[in-house]
Amino acid sequence: MKLLTLNTHSLTEPDYEAKREIFVNFMAAEQPEVFALQEVNQTAAAPLLGEIPAGYTPCPGNGVPLKTDNHAAAVAKMLADRGVHYHWSWLPAKIGYDKYDEGMAVFSRAPITAAENLLLSKSDDYSYWKTRRTLGVCAGDVWYYAVHMGWWKDEEEPFAAQWEKLSRAAGAKPTAFLLGDFNSEADVRREGYDLILGSGWQDTYRLAQQRDDGYTVVEAIDGWRDAPDAAAKKRIDQIWCSKAAAVKSSRVVFNGQREPRVSDHAGILIEL
């Protein structure tokens, strides 16, 4: 069983369409059972999407309709055109870069039997860029959450408070995976990474029998440009499980080595 996470940058990424093609070709070849995407956006002012690709499960409480340039819808259609069919859901959390409905998506080969819309931030203001939500879907008897967290030292929306909400909700499920951009560097002690670890969650990278260096960000990116270590390598994209799992391998993808870069983040692909 394979799981993948990627912060896509989607419509804001230079050469977006070419990079989307690279991503879809890779997914059609690998066909992970579940993949979670962050910064999945659409232009807020774009027309409504006329024909929604098959497999779509609306997330409860999502009042934003799909638009013509929705990244998740495009990925679903492109995969279907290649004969690879996924069940999928998309949840916007906020307005990004002043013009996008920005959120996250989860794709599953197995049918989605339930979906959850969880507010993580104190703010529920859709126009505020620090508003955070998470999308959870149930496939089989396992829950998968697409996660894009705030920062540890953020005085308005600190990581710890968001983690408490996420851990309480996801931890109540029989088995749950958290896939995403945690904005918490795994090499930094006594911050977000250690809080997750101390809460009993299992880092699949640490469990993996085979693994690489794990770094998914290797340059200064938005949200980190003012940090003292802005340009340092960071392992901030992670996959966590609520219980110990047998992980065969964990590797960084789309980092310019085996696959071209398609975003300002690389992704993580694990095999259980």
Side-chain angles (χ1 to χ4, degrees):
M1 178 179 182
K2 295 179 182 179
L3 306 178
L4 178 141
T5 185
L6 175 68
N7 183 321
T8 67
H9 220 207
S10 49
L11 273 65
T12 61
E13 183 67 19
D15 301 319
Y16 163 66
E17 292 185 356
K19 292 176 179 178
R20 185 182 64 190
E21 187 82 11
I22 292 169
F23 172 76
V24 170
N25 286 338
F26 177 86
M27 301 308 287
E30 289 287 339
Q31 297 186 27
E33 277 71 15
V34 173
F35 64 95
L37 307 177
Q38 306 85 46
E39 292 195 33
V40 178
N41 54 31
Q42 63 182 18
T43 304
L48 295 179
L49 181 63
E51 184 177 349
I52 297 175
Y56 180 59
T57 298
C59 186
N62 175 15
V64 180
L66 294 168
K67 307 292 180 61
T68 51
D69 60 358
N70 183 280
H71 177 67
V75 168
K77 183 180 185 304
M78 292 170 71
L79 285 168
D81 289 345
R82 289 159 171 76
V84 181
H85 300 278
Y86 277 89
H87 303 268
W88 60 285
S89 188
W90 173 71
L91 175 66
K94 61 185 178 182
I95 292 292
Y97 296 94
D98 298 322
K99 64 178 181 178
Y100 298 116
D101 294 310
E102 181 188 304
M104 61 284 306
V106 181
F107 288 71
S108 170
R109 295 282 280 167
I112 293 173
T113 56
E116 183 176 19
N117 173 354
L118 181 63
L119 178 68
L120 299 182
S121 56
K122 292 181 290 184
S123 169
D124 192 15
D125 182 352
Y126 190 68
S127 65
Y128 186 41
W129 68 279
K130 289 186 181 181
T131 297
R132 301 283 176 171
R133 292 184 176 275
T134 189
L135 166 64
V137 305
C138 184
D141 57 354
V142 179
W143 281 80
Y144 303 90
Y145 289 83
V147 177
H148 193 182
M149 303 288 285
W151 296 269
W152 180 258
K153 295 179 181 178
D154 192 305
E155 294 182 358
E156 295 176 295
E157 293 288 354
F159 177 98
Q162 295 177 15
W163 169 249
E164 182 179 356
K165 295 178 183 178
L166 176 58
S167 181
R168 186 187 312 120
K173 306 298 193 293
T175 304
F177 285 90
L178 311 177
L179 307 93
D181 175 0
F182 286 81
N183 274 316
S184 287
E185 222 295 272
D187 292 340
V188 175
R189 304 279 63 83
R190 295 182 296 279
E191 291 190 0
Y193 181 87
D194 283 356
L195 177 60
I196 302 173
L197 201 62
S199 300
W201 288 78
Q202 302 289 320
D203 181 3
T204 58
Y205 176 80
R206 292 166 60 124
L207 297 175
Q209 297 174 12
Q210 301 173 6
R211 60 176 182 257
D212 51 20
D213 62 17
Y215 293 119
T216 56
V217 172
V218 295
E219 60 189 10
I221 60 170
D222 291 347
W224 287 87
R225 298 189 190 280
D226 296 332
D229 60 344
K233 293 181 178 180
K234 300 175 182 63
R235 187 165 76 83
I236 61 175
D237 299 272
Q238 302 151 12
I239 299 177
W240 294 82
C241 186
S242 58
K243 58 183 66 174
V247 184
K248 180 180 178 181
S249 62
S250 175
R251 79 173 181 93
V252 177
V253 292
F254 303 117
N255 62 351
Q257 297 182 21
R258 291 172 62 174
E259 305 86 21
R261 295 177 61 87
V262 296
S263 173
D264 58 348
H265 287 241
I268 296 293
L269 175 67
I270 69 168
E271 185 171 0
L272 300 171

